Amino acid sequence: MAWKKWLVGAAVGAAALYMARASGRPALLSPERALKLAKQALGGAHPIRGSWIQTHPERYEKNGLTYTVYRGGLCRDDGDDEFWVNAYTGAIVDTRPL
């Protein structure tokens, strides 16, 4: 009987530890949400004809800092751009023309 109480206590403790660690990490944005934020930030004067975003985050290094980002692109009449958007905040980390 004592081992059952110990086992239940261990399971409850493990669950509490998992919840405490999980709540301490910020959640990743969905790729769709990150794309929407990037389109708002990079819209500009020319309308966007098309866009894409990778669904798996990747590591990106810029100016000695490492970010977790989604990589995507925008197609416009004046040219196409590739962008890297922070997967946690939705901030644009970098852009470049294609």
Side-chain angles (χ1 to χ4, degrees):
M1 188 65 146
W3 65 273
K4 288 181 183 178
K5 288 182 182 179
W6 183 85
L7 187 59
V8 169
V12 169
L17 181 63
Y18 175 78
M19 294 297 286
R21 285 188 180 176
S23 67
R25 282 186 235 141
L28 285 173
L29 294 174
S30 70
E32 294 81 13
R33 177 76 177 139
L35 180 59
K36 182 179 178 182
L37 292 170
K39 287 167 87 172
Q40 288 173 352
L42 300 173
H46 297 280
I48 296 172
R49 289 184 291 121
S51 60
W52 60 271
I53 194 161
Q54 291 185 340
T55 57
H56 297 290
E58 60 186 50
R59 295 174 60 87
Y60 184 77
E61 196 168 320
K62 181 179 179 183
N63 298 330
L65 299 172
T66 303
Y67 300 93
T68 301
V69 297
Y70 291 114
R71 185 166 51 119
L74 298 175
C75 301
R76 293 185 282 227
D77 291 334
D78 66 336
D80 300 337
D81 292 317
E82 185 174 25
F83 64 85
W84 290 264
V85 59
N86 189 311
Y88 292 105
T89 65
I92 303 297
V93 174
D94 200 4
T95 63
R96 71 175 176 136
L98 289 177

